[in-house]
Amino acid sequence: MEKHAFSDAVWEWVQLDWNKDMERENELKPYTQNIQWLEHVQASDTNSLQMETTDENSLALWGSIIYVQEADKEEESHLFHFFVKENTLLTTALDFSLLSTTTKDEILAKMHNADNAVEGFMILLGEIISAFLHKMDQYEVRLNDLLWQVKKNNDTKLLNKIAENRHEILVWKNFLIPFVEVKTGVVEAFGEKYTDNIHYKRTNYRFDRCQNLVRAYEEEIRGLIDFEDVVSSFRGNEIMKTLTVITVLFTPVMALGALWGMNFDNMPELKWKFGYAGALILILISTLLVYWFLKAKGWTGDMLKSKRKQKYVD
């Protein structure tokens, strides 16, 4: 158990060791009073939020929240538990080394600017969200690379990358939902007097920034998917058109070949001296006539044009 007092000992932050302190119920009772927080901690393995609002003097907020989640590994998630009263902040299972943008000492230094435990809790949430924003910056770099890969190499592998990025955005949206709930729960449990505080406002701005970024990235991914659908549909149409044109062009060959492949006894052209050459000429002329007809109608499209420059659709 590690205790830190702030604002001339007006409030304190108690950091509990999950393996050692969870059995010291008698020492924790003065903090939690009649609230069964330890039972909640031992039973909770996912995001949750509860509060006590019966008596103005016993207002409290407690729960659990996933503060680190890897987008590509479901099992790589880390949960911490908290208990907040106006003069007390309890936390457990919180690993500061997982927060890439801050350290425990830096958080403690910022806690000295808080007048009560509720403000200190908002500072802690703000630092967690700040680490999440750093991940979003890294995601932005990958998304920018993906935007340019669409032009350079538009294939099935790229579609899989788009799907992976979309899944990552969905993970981030799911990650933020409990934080928004906790932020709203602070106001519900302790009243609106904390909403004008700089620490609440700063954390709230970070929440809003995260949500705005996630929405913007989601819109970009949606645009990429729509673009990929258009390209794939156009490419499919071009392939079907090409196959159809090739089939029509070879219709005279197939028709005349079928005709002269018959086994009738009376087929005089089979004995002509120049029958073979005449058949070749007839096939060539009929094929050219069919091609001219398709070209005149504009049905050949771009299938015979060369592509010298990199295009979105090859």
Side-chain angles (χ1 to χ4, degrees), residues 72-124:
D72 56 342
K73 297 179 181 178
E74 181 182 1
E75 66 279 3
E76 287 294 325
S77 62
H78 300 271
L79 185 82
F80 87 97
H81 311 281
F82 60 88
F83 179 90
V84 189
K85 295 186 68 174
E86 194 165 27
N87 61 351
T88 304
L89 171 60
L90 303 178
T91 60
T92 186
L94 183 58
D95 187 351
F96 296 96
S97 66
L98 298 176
L99 303 179
S100 59
T101 59
T102 189
T103 63
K104 180 180 177 180
D105 291 338
E106 290 175 346
I107 294 177
L108 286 172
K110 293 179 180 180
M111 291 288 193
H112 285 286
N113 297 321
D115 295 330
N116 51 67
V118 179
E119 293 178 11
F121 181 55
M122 295 308 297
I123 290 175
L124 180 60

Side-chain angles (χ1 to χ4, degrees), residues 41-304:
V41 169
Q42 294 167 354
S44 178
D45 59 357
T46 187
N47 295 304
S48 61
L49 184 67
Q50 299 181 50
M51 62 185 69
E52 171 60 53
T53 58
T54 305
D55 186 356
E56 188 70 24
N57 296 321
S58 60
L59 300 177
L61 181 76
W62 69 93
S64 307
I65 192 168
I66 294 175
Y67 66 102
V68 174
Q69 173 67 65
E70 297 299 328
D72 56 342
K73 297 179 181 178
E74 181 182 1
E75 66 279 3
E76 287 294 325
S77 62
H78 300 271
L79 185 82
F80 87 97
H81 311 281
F82 60 88
F83 179 90
V84 189
K85 295 186 68 174
E86 194 165 27
N87 61 351
T88 304
L89 171 60
L90 303 178
T91 60
T92 186
L94 183 58
D95 187 351
F96 296 96
S97 66
L98 298 176
L99 303 179
S100 59
T101 59
T102 189
T103 63
K104 180 180 177 180
D105 291 338
E106 290 175 346
I107 294 177
L108 286 172
K110 293 179 180 180
M111 291 288 193
H112 285 286
N113 297 321
D115 295 330
N116 51 67
V118 179
E119 293 178 11
F121 181 55
M122 295 308 297
I123 290 175
L124 180 60
L125 290 183
E127 293 305 309
I128 294 174
I129 291 299
S130 180
F132 173 73
L133 281 169
H134 179 66
K135 282 189 175 182
M136 294 302 295
D137 291 338
Q138 296 173 339
Y139 176 82
E140 183 178 3
V141 174
R142 297 196 302 273
L143 182 58
N144 185 65
D145 291 339
L146 184 61
L147 289 174
W148 288 103
Q149 288 179 33
V150 169
K151 182 176 181 179
K152 296 176 182 178
N153 187 20
N154 189 23
D155 55 11
T156 304
K157 186 182 294 186
L158 183 64
L159 184 59
N160 289 331
K161 288 184 179 180
I162 294 175
E164 289 174 2
N165 278 263
R166 186 176 191 182
H167 174 263
E168 188 169 351
I169 282 294
L170 292 176
V171 172
W172 297 147
K173 289 183 69 174
N174 181 262
F175 176 82
L176 285 174
I177 290 173
F179 284 92
V180 176
E181 182 185 11
V182 170
K183 181 193 69 171
T184 307
V186 168
V187 181
E188 182 180 352
F190 301 104
E192 296 184 355
K193 60 182 179 179
Y194 293 105
T195 58
D196 291 330
N197 179 269
I198 183 60
H199 305 299
Y200 181 91
K201 287 183 176 180
R202 182 178 291 117
T203 300
N204 190 47
Y205 291 147
R206 288 179 183 174
F207 282 139
D208 291 343
R209 187 149 58 100
C210 284
Q211 290 180 307
N212 291 335
L213 283 173
V214 168
R215 279 194 293 266
Y217 295 152
E218 186 178 30
E219 190 65 28
E220 284 192 50
I221 291 294
R222 190 179 296 116
L224 279 175
I225 293 174
D226 292 342
F227 177 80
E228 184 67 21
D229 286 342
V230 170
V231 171
S232 298
S233 177
F234 181 81
R235 180 185 293 157
N237 290 338
E238 284 295 299
I239 292 172
M240 291 304 299
K241 183 196 297 182
T242 301
L243 294 176
T244 301
V245 169
I246 291 174
T247 301
V248 173
L249 284 176
F250 278 90
T251 296
V253 178
M254 293 185 291
L256 294 173
L259 177 64
W260 287 316
M262 297 178 182
N263 294 319
F264 293 111
D265 291 335
N266 188 16
M267 294 186 70
E269 62 271 28
L270 297 180
K271 298 179 181 180
W272 292 351
K273 181 178 180 180
F274 299 103
Y276 181 72
L280 291 179
I281 293 173
L282 179 60
I283 290 174
L284 179 60
I285 292 175
S286 57
T287 301
L288 290 175
L289 287 174
V290 171
Y291 172 74
W292 175 83
F293 176 77
L294 295 175
K295 187 73 173 177
K297 290 289 187 179
W299 293 346
T300 58
D302 297 328
M303 60 172 290
L304 299 179

Side-chain angles (χ1 to χ4, degrees), residues 26-40:
N26 292 331
E27 293 185 39
L28 294 176
K29 274 187 176 180
Y31 298 106
T32 60
Q33 296 180 353
N34 295 324
I35 297 174
Q36 304 299 314
W37 182 63
L38 282 180
E39 288 78 356
H40 162 82

